[in-house]
Amino acid sequence: MDWLMLFAAGCCEMLGVAMLGKLQRDRTWQTFCLFLLGFGGSLLLLSQAMKTLPMGTAYAVWTGIGASGGAVLGMLLYGEGRELRRIICIVMILGAAVGLKLLG
Amino acid sequence: MKNNSAWFKIAGAACLEVVWVIGLKHASVPWEWLITGLALLVSFYTIIAASRKLPVGTVYSVFVGLGTAGTVLADMLWFGEPFRLIKLVLILVLLAGVIGLKLVTGNFHSKEVS
């Protein structure tokens, strides 16, 4: 159950990032509500999952799913650059962030 | 380089992220919670502003990455976390990724339709 919540938290974060992109084209209150719902739900589910899972593991998985998923969504939905160099840089940033959270 | 201001915004948002992460962990009295809440609001407002100029995948990964690096540094500097070489190495890898991404994004042709 805790892992399911953690996975859902990552998905909510992806929703938040997708809405962050969408906010730039349609500044409607629906998009803004979904943006708040995405990040709010994500933090809420993460804190629930952390009640049973170790904090470092939970943080690392959450960051990994949410931020990399957000980057992939940006490429799929908004035609953001798919160059290898860009992908390598994003992987370096997120890999290091996940590593730091696992160590923390 | 008109995108520079957007990169500064992400860096600022990441600094505020460090503030609210510390706040969520350590805040106990009302004014501390007030600062935490304000930092949370302003940091998200700032990344909304930054993603007007830069791809959202870039904005969010740099925001998360710099925020993590800053939090780890703050923990080591002020909250008595032990210094570990591996952490510093990971922070350097992370910064190299951010700099690389900034260089690559210089050639980014936005497909935004406004």
Side-chain angles (χ1 to χ4, degrees), chain B residues 9-98:
Chain B
K9 280 181 188 147
I10 309 179
C15 293
L16 287 168
E17 189 191 354
V18 176
V19 173
W20 64 257
V21 168
I22 292 173
L24 287 180
K25 220 189 283 180
H26 299 281
S28 49
V29 292
W31 69 268
E32 288 175 345
W33 281 112
L34 188 72
I35 291 177
T36 307
L38 271 179
L40 191 65
L41 284 179
V42 179
S43 79
F44 273 94
Y45 177 79
T46 313
I47 59 167
I48 293 179
S51 50
R52 220 168 288 160
K53 292 264 176 61
L54 293 172
V56 68
T58 297
V59 172
Y60 195 66
S61 33
V62 172
F63 171 68
V64 164
L66 288 181
T68 305
T71 309
V72 169
L73 279 177
D75 273 341
M76 292 195 295
L77 291 173
W78 298 310
F79 294 100
E81 277 286 320
F83 262 95
R84 285 169 70 185
L85 187 63
I86 177 90
K87 288 187 180 176
L88 293 181
V89 172
L90 284 175
I91 289 174
L92 288 179
V93 171
L94 195 155
L95 291 179
V98 173

Side-chain angles (χ1 to χ4, degrees), chain A residues 39-61:
Chain A
F39 282 112
S42 165
L43 285 173
L44 208 69
L45 284 163
L46 174 69
S47 65
Q48 285 300 312
M50 282 197 303
K51 282 184 180 163
T52 42
L53 292 172
M55 199 166 103
T57 316
Y59 259 131
V61 172

